[in-house]
Amino acid sequence: MATIRLTAAEATWRFLAAQMTELDGRTLPIFGGVWAIFGHGNVAGLGPALQAMGKSLPAFRAHNEQAMAHAAIAYAKTHARRRMMACTTSIGPGATNMVTAAALAHVNRLPVLLLPGDIFASRQPDPVLQQVENFGDGTASANDCFRPVSRYFDRIMRPEQLLVALPAALRVLLDPVECGPATLAFPQDVQTEAFDWPTEFFRKRLHRPRAPEPDRHELSDAVALLRDARRPLILAGGGVKYAGAESALADFAHRHAVPVAETQAGKGSLPWDHPRNAGAIGVTGSAAANALAEKADVVLAVGTRLQDFTTGSRALFGGARILGLNVAGFDAQKHGAQPLVADALRGLVALSAGLGRWDAPRPWQERAVTATGRWHRSVERITAAPKPREAGLPSDAQVLGAVNRAMPSDGIVVCAAGGLPGELHKLWRARDAASYHVEYGFSCMGYEIAGGLGVKLAAPKREVVVLVGDGSYLMMNSEIATSVALGAKLTIVVLDNRGFGCISRLQGATGGAPFLNLLPDAAPRVDFAAHAAALGAQAVKVDGIAGLEAALPKALSSKRTSVVVIDTDPAASTAEGGAWWEVPVSAAPRGTAQEAARQTYETALRKRGSGA
């Protein structure tokens, strides 16, 4: 057997560079690159080995470990999990900074390979710098924090363990069911140890996504359930995009005249103006989709986790039967659903064939069309620019309207936590599956700018617009400098409402008094434009929607990252649409506001309990 002598670090990078995938008819490396911030846990091992890889495995340096992992995750999401990135850090805080990103990837079922440096396997110099010592467990390391938020975890104590660990991690990263973060904790001494590796280990391998067909018995039951439906509704989740099932969904909805509602992850599965697209569903849903959900008798849930925002904390669908079409049996059976375990594309095609010429009853079709048309008119009104005489700060909805109107046809919007994702879910007009990139499974503040950078690296020819609130901007903004350095141009719109406006509104809705969310008027204002300019971006502060509309074309046409800052109203949010969300209210209320909130909460609980 032919062998080659390499260090464990060199072998790791060579293996990753040899893994290939098919995308749009081209054969490409699965790993589009490696993000690295070096420290004493990886600089002498993984560092020089990565440098030697050159263009075969591109390397990128970030300013924050959590941010670089966010960028890697966004890269994978933009590629619908077909391509991904790896991240390496030192031990200690460099490693634990990535734990939040690992949790985000875990919740959102997105692949990222994490290679944090670790303490010495030999233990001879213990305790080393940044080592977390456990008095009763000599095997403990700070990297154990990754265990509950990784789909696969291993600690490489000998070089030859990589012969098993790397393929095992890759299997999880590429599996449509188990997909999520894989963590290989890498002791710094092991990285530099040499081994005679079989050359076959580094042979190029082509990996194609697995797409399971539906079981014939489950398929037969699913067809029968839909045939009996009088008021069917399709719920499109992120699994539609990951399976490449957008066209199959459009064909199914058209052929069988079934309205479609979209989750956050599934938004863009159909163009916003598709005749069967009723819009967003759930707590941040459209009035049209939610009204249909309340009356539906069968809900075909395609590729969705059925999270509480989607289901209105399990109160939205009333007495509807749920048919769970999902590649994961874990998700297909949620909420007592009748399961159809299959790839979304294969499942929709098989269902359509089984249904033949069946379509939804005409009154239900007409009801959906009427409700959707009414909602489109509401969106036009809500997102319209304020009239010249209207005073006060603009709402988030008005800002989104201005950005949506200015957006080029190939634009991608990126956002994450706070109130903006809710407004986007309701109001944004997505043109295709990749055009809407919102992280809301983990609702992680700080994802926005770093995520936008990952999106841009994955889709360099498309315009990427990041929408971010002032609170999230202040949590993590360093990758503005990275985007400038890489020439990965972003357009960033900062909506400054002087604090955490979304949670301030939730505080009020649950009967609470204002507390630690909005900054007092006396507090100094942050000059976000000056800050962004100091990081190398072009930046401007605008006055109102008219100023924003004038600034956006310049920012979009610029070749350098641009930041546009606008003050917004922290109290305003879109009242239309939406559904109940369970947020517990004190059972011993203090004051009339909390008493009223508790009464509303108990009423909603009784309604959910009755199935009404």
Side-chain angles (χ1 to χ4, degrees), residues 8 27 37 43 85 122 151 208 216 229 254 256 322 351 440 494 510 575 583 603:
T27 299
I37 294 180
V43 69
M85 289 179 144
S122 72
R151 296 280 179 177
R208 295 183 176 90
R216 63 186 181 89
H254 172 74
H256 303 294
I322 298 177
L351 270 177
Y440 211 53
V494 180
T510 54
V583 179
T603 300

Side-chain angles (χ1 to χ4, degrees), residues 95-311:
T96 55
N97 274 353
M98 292 198 298
V99 172
T100 296
L104 182 149
H106 192 287
V107 168
N108 287 287
R109 321 283 174 87
L110 291 168
V112 60
L113 177 61
L114 305 175
L115 297 164
D118 212 326
I119 56 179
F120 278 68
S122 72
R123 304 187 188 171
Q124 292 304 296
D126 289 7
V128 298
L129 178 66
Q130 299 178 330
Q131 181 171 350
V132 174
E133 293 185 277
N134 185 315
F135 296 167
D137 184 357
T139 69
S141 158
N143 285 332
D144 290 321
C145 295
F146 286 100
R147 290 181 184 271
V149 291
S150 296
R151 296 280 179 177
Y152 180 84
F153 179 91
D154 201 351
R155 179 171 284 115
I156 309 304
M157 303 300 286
R158 294 176 58 88
E160 59 267 36
Q161 288 177 346
L162 290 169
L163 292 169
V164 174
L166 281 170
L170 189 68
R171 177 191 63 79
V172 170
L173 291 167
L174 297 177
D175 190 277
V177 177
E178 297 185 50
C179 185
T183 301
L184 299 181
F186 217 152
Q188 53 188 306
D189 53 343
V190 178
Q191 295 174 32
T192 62
E193 292 178 11
F195 181 72
D196 293 321
W197 305 84
T199 55
E200 172 68 12
F201 189 59
F202 307 111
R203 175 178 58 83
K204 285 190 182 296
R205 288 175 170 82
L206 179 61
H207 303 266
R208 295 183 176 90
R210 188 180 299 114
E213 298 278 0
D215 173 81
R216 63 186 181 89
H217 297 295
E218 287 188 349
L219 178 62
S220 176
D221 291 343
V223 169
L225 179 59
L226 283 172
R227 279 189 174 279
D228 288 341
R230 307 304 299 166
R231 299 179 302 280
L233 176 68
I234 298 171
L235 192 58
V240 173
K241 298 181 182 183
Y242 299 143
E246 297 92 340
S247 294
L249 175 64
D251 291 344
F252 189 101
H254 172 74
R255 181 178 179 183
H256 303 294
V258 181
V260 176
E262 297 175 320
T263 70
Q264 276 281 15
K267 188 175 173 72
S269 296
L270 295 181
W272 72 271
D273 55 355
H274 186 282
R276 299 298 175 189
N277 191 347
I281 191 76
V283 175
T284 54
S286 75
N290 284 352
L292 294 171
E294 289 175 344
K295 297 298 182 182
D297 59 353
V298 174
V299 174
L300 172 56
V302 185
T304 170
R305 298 186 300 124
L306 293 173
Q307 182 216 28
D308 65 339
F309 257 57
T310 297
T311 66

Side-chain angles (χ1 to χ4, degrees), residues 345-359:
L345 172 58
R346 304 294 178 89
L348 284 170
V349 170
L351 270 177
S352 186
L355 289 169
R357 297 176 64 85
W358 174 88
D359 59 10

Side-chain angles (χ1 to χ4, degrees), residues 437-572:
H437 185 114
V438 173
E439 191 291 299
Y440 211 53
F442 204 51
S443 187
C444 186
M445 296 179 72
Y447 176 90
E448 297 89 342
I449 295 171
L453 176 57
V455 172
K456 187 65 176 180
L457 292 177
K461 295 182 179 180
R462 297 185 69 160
E463 286 294 325
V464 178
V465 176
V466 175
L467 295 169
V468 59
D470 57 303
S472 207
Y473 179 99
L474 287 171
M475 282 194 179
M476 194 173 297
N477 51 62
S478 55
E479 302 325 306
I480 291 176
T482 307
S483 76
V484 173
L486 292 176
K489 179 265 175 121
L490 304 173
T491 298
I492 302 168
V493 181
V494 180
L495 292 80
D496 184 2
N497 63 16
R498 299 277 287 160
F500 304 142
C502 172
I503 298 302
S504 178
R505 293 192 296 271
L506 181 60
Q507 199 169 48
T510 54
F515 181 60
L516 291 183
N517 281 310
L518 297 182
L519 297 173
D521 292 338
R525 298 197 70 91
V526 176
D527 190 337
F528 291 101
H531 180 269
L535 292 176
Q538 296 175 335
V540 62
K541 172 76 177 287
V542 300
D543 184 18
I545 298 299
L548 177 63
E549 290 177 328
L552 283 171
K554 298 176 184 177
L556 290 166
S557 63
S558 173
K559 296 187 181 300
R560 185 151 55 104
T561 291
S562 296
V563 175
V564 181
V565 183
I566 182 170
D567 291 336
T568 56
D569 185 349

Side-chain angles (χ1 to χ4, degrees), residues 290 293-296 311-320 580 603-612:
N290 284 352
E294 289 175 344
K295 297 298 182 182
T311 66
S313 297
R314 301 197 179 206
L316 180 59
F317 299 137
W580 179 64
T603 300
L605 287 178
R606 286 193 295 271
K607 180 180 178 183
R608 180 179 67 184
S610 68

